[in-house]
Amino acid sequence: MASRAEPADTGGRRDWRDVLRDAADLALLGILLTLVAAPLLTAAAAAGTASAAVHDWTRTGGWPSARVTLRRFGRAALPGVPVSLLALAVAGLLAADLAALATGRVPGGPPALVVTALVTAGLTGYAGLVVVEAGRNGGGRWRAAARSAARACLDAPTRWAAFAGVTALAGLLAVLVTPVAVPILAGYTVAALHAVAGRQPVTVDRESQ
């Protein structure tokens, strides 16, 4: 992956080649994230490591080295297992609840479906902010990231709504696009989450390299 901090030939201004390079880098990041997360138990560690890489990219203009990335993933692998299990369980329950309400298998009708959909959007937005906070501290420390994200959501509900919007849009696009493009979408989603959090103060310590 290239660095976008490299001087351009146009007096420091970015041109279409820089944009194309950034798009390719994020697509590659999404593909690698999907491959590493495929065993499911490694999903949290993969997401945290990818988030840490995007955090470096947005802060310094360059991607971390392979050695740093592998070290981050190694540190996050075991602590991330319970996080992965919890996320999968919550996602499965919410998906089953939404499907049951949408097909009329359980009572409640449209009002219950709307409420459940809003709760789902809020939880996914919170999860997106947790991933950002995990990236800010080097890809791990999920408890600290969860606490920091909870405080941020309570302090700035509008930003929480923005995170919910990003994750909801990503979910919609994942359904609409061809399956082969879903891994690419993952990289763009992590970048979008960091863009939304761009002006938010860092509330957890970053990993010292």
Side-chain angles (χ1 to χ4, degrees), residues 168-192:
L169 178 60
L172 177 61
L173 292 176
V175 174
L176 296 178
V177 301
T178 179
V180 72
V182 173
I184 297 175
L185 179 63
Y188 293 146
T189 301
V190 176

Side-chain angles (χ1 to χ4, degrees), residues 2-192:
S3 169
R4 62 174 181 171
E6 296 174 358
D9 296 333
T10 56
R13 293 178 298 175
R14 290 166 52 79
D15 59 18
W16 65 270
R17 290 169 294 184
D18 299 305
V19 175
L20 182 61
R21 181 173 58 192
D22 290 346
D25 287 347
L26 290 174
L28 177 58
L29 176 75
I31 293 171
L32 293 175
L33 166 59
T34 304
L35 290 175
V36 176
L40 298 183
L41 293 181
T42 57
T49 304
S51 180
V54 173
H55 176 65
D56 288 352
W57 178 68
T58 56
R59 291 288 296 272
T60 68
W63 295 98
S65 66
R67 181 179 179 180
V68 170
T69 300
L70 289 174
R71 185 176 73 241
R72 286 171 171 170
F73 179 78
R75 290 176 178 175
L78 286 179
V81 171
V83 179
S84 299
L85 291 174
L86 177 61
L88 291 171
V90 172
L93 289 174
L94 289 173
D97 195 12
L98 287 170
L101 287 168
T103 56
R105 294 198 301 268
V106 296
L113 179 60
V114 170
V115 171
T116 305
L118 290 175
V119 171
T120 301
L123 288 176
T124 55
Y126 168 71
L129 183 51
V130 171
V131 170
V132 170
E133 291 293 342
R136 285 174 165 176
N137 62 45
R141 295 177 57 193
W142 289 101
R143 289 184 180 179
R147 290 193 298 267
S148 177
R151 288 195 299 268
C153 289
L154 294 175
D155 292 341
T158 55
R159 180 159 293 179
W160 184 7
F163 277 98
V166 169
T167 54
L169 178 60
L172 177 61
L173 292 176
V175 174
L176 296 178
V177 301
T178 179
V180 72
V182 173
I184 297 175
L185 179 63
Y188 293 146
T189 301
V190 176

